[in-house]
Amino acid sequence: MNLVRSLRLGTVVLVAVAARPGPTAGQDLGPLVAQCVTSGAGAARCTEAALALKVLKGGVTLLNAGGSDVVGTASTLGMRLGSVPRISFNVRLVTARLKAPDVLSGDAPADENSFYAKSVQLQAVVGVFNGLSIAPTVGGFGSLDLMASASLAFLPTDEGFEESRGSYGIGARVGILRESFTLPGVTVSVMHRDGGTVRVGDIATGDPTELAWDMRSTSLRATVGKTLFGLGLLAGYGSDWSVGDVSLSVNDSGTGSTGTAASDDFTVRRNVYFGGASMTFLITQISIEVGWADAFDSIPGRLGGFDTGTNSYFGTLGFRITF
């Protein structure tokens, strides 16, 4: 890939970060609730189902994305010698605490259901451009890595999930600064993931609520970090948003009817904050990260039950080898 093409792709990534959707874009539960009520279920039960769909969709997106897009480093990989790329292989385990209304209880408002879920991710990263040196000891501007990943989210069946789900992802990471003796590394990245359909509950088997959504999502990350004597520290901020098909069904014993609703562009978006530490041994590295995602907006008029105003926390354990 030549210099012009590399810078062009890097510019696309930076523009995508600047133009990301606002905090509330596409997240209104009103249309789903209205569809559900119109088809026969009560407003309270429909509201709880739509809220659970939004919260769980956001939780699974966080579980797949975690914190930094490349574990343990805030610098792009760059090249080794001449046109020979540097390559990194990573594996990481993400654990997140997911919380949602307990819609399988049939209550409205529903109490909080809190549980832990895990995902494992394999990733390959290739450095394709070293970037530009804009001053002595200040280099790596516009450097570029390409990323590909495969992950499996272990979703607990005892919490109503149908089964675990896999996904794959592709993305790019653009360097703002490459880490040097005096300066930290700074990168901006974008990762797009896609997978199957996640299902919670099953009306046909007697559950009062059934939810389904696509795993398609996009994650943006800005990361800064510095390594000294093998010990690295990093911190970052980003956004996760998932857009795609969703559906819900509510078997309402109060009305004696089943309400349904669906959308092909329902969006869930949250900001993510994270920090971590790593230890490097020659070409290998072990790292840990912890972080949280923003709470969800409250619903006017909804009293009691699941508290939407709490953050979602996660932790990551990673291993990386670089050639």
Side-chain angles (χ1 to χ4, degrees):
M1 181 176 290
N2 61 36
L3 173 61
V4 173
R5 291 178 62 194
S6 297
L7 291 177
R8 193 173 293 165
L9 181 54
T11 301
V12 170
V13 174
L14 295 176
V15 170
V17 173
R20 67 186 187 275
T24 59
Q27 301 192 77
D28 183 15
L29 300 182
L32 286 178
V33 174
Q35 285 185 53
C36 179
V37 172
T38 300
S39 60
R45 288 285 310 282
C46 290
T47 298
E48 295 303 293
L51 177 59
L53 177 62
K54 176 180 178 178
V55 171
L56 290 174
K57 182 176 172 67
V60 173
T61 297
L62 177 67
L63 184 66
N64 280 324
S68 58
D69 273 334
V70 179
V71 296
T73 178
S75 283
T76 50
L77 297 182
M79 313 290 285
R80 288 189 295 169
L81 296 171
S83 60
V84 179
R86 184 172 279 113
I87 302 173
S88 176
F89 296 98
N90 317 317
V91 59
R92 67 175 172 182
L93 174 68
V94 181
T95 301
R97 186 185 182 194
L98 306 185
K99 295 181 288 184
D102 185 11
V103 292
L104 298 186
S105 69
D107 297 331
D111 290 334
E112 177 178 288
N113 183 29
S114 176
F115 57 93
Y116 287 91
K118 299 178 178 66
S119 72
V120 62
Q121 182 181 104
L122 303 176
Q123 184 186 59
V125 185
V126 180
V128 297
F129 179 53
N130 273 329
L132 304 176
S133 180
I134 56 180
T137 74
V138 182
F141 180 76
S143 55
L144 181 67
D145 291 343
L146 300 181
M147 306 177 291
S149 69
S151 61
L152 178 63
F154 299 95
L155 304 174
T157 56
D158 57 351
E159 301 295 344
F161 288 91
E162 181 183 54
E163 59 184 345
S164 299
R165 285 295 182 189
S167 62
Y168 61 89
I170 56 173
R173 188 167 65 145
V174 176
I176 307 302
L177 288 175
R178 175 167 294 124
E179 183 179 347
S180 65
F181 183 76
T182 57
L183 295 174
V186 181
T187 58
V188 176
S189 60
V190 58
M191 194 80 178
H192 179 76
R193 296 176 176 87
D194 209 339
T197 300
V198 180
R199 300 184 186 279
V200 178
D202 187 349
I203 292 287
T205 62
D207 291 328
T209 305
E210 180 178 323
L211 312 173
W213 67 89
D214 287 346
M215 291 183 71
R216 187 165 66 250
S217 66
T218 300
S219 300
L220 301 175
R221 297 290 186 267
T223 308
V224 57
K226 189 78 171 68
T227 300
L228 187 63
F229 303 116
L231 175 64
L233 298 175
L234 64 78
Y237 160 81
S239 295
D240 292 335
W241 74 85
S242 55
V243 183
D245 296 341
V246 301
S247 64
L248 62 86
S249 298
V250 175
N251 190 355
D252 194 336
S253 58
T255 64
S257 301
T258 298
T260 61
S263 173
D264 61 2
D265 62 354
F266 186 74
T267 301
V268 178
R269 180 194 176 283
R270 287 200 291 178
N271 295 328
V272 179
Y273 312 84
F274 56 93
S278 62
M279 182 62 69
T280 301
F281 308 91
L282 295 178
I283 65 171
T284 62
Q285 183 191 75
I286 297 175
S287 63
I288 58 171
E289 289 180 7
V290 293
W292 72 93
D294 281 343
F296 292 95
D297 294 336
S298 61
I299 299 176
R302 181 179 179 271
L303 301 175
F306 165 70
D307 181 8
T308 61
T310 57
N311 297 325
S312 299
Y313 296 93
F314 66 91
T316 297
L317 174 64
F319 175 80
R320 182 164 64 96
I321 183 168
T322 304
F323 300 98

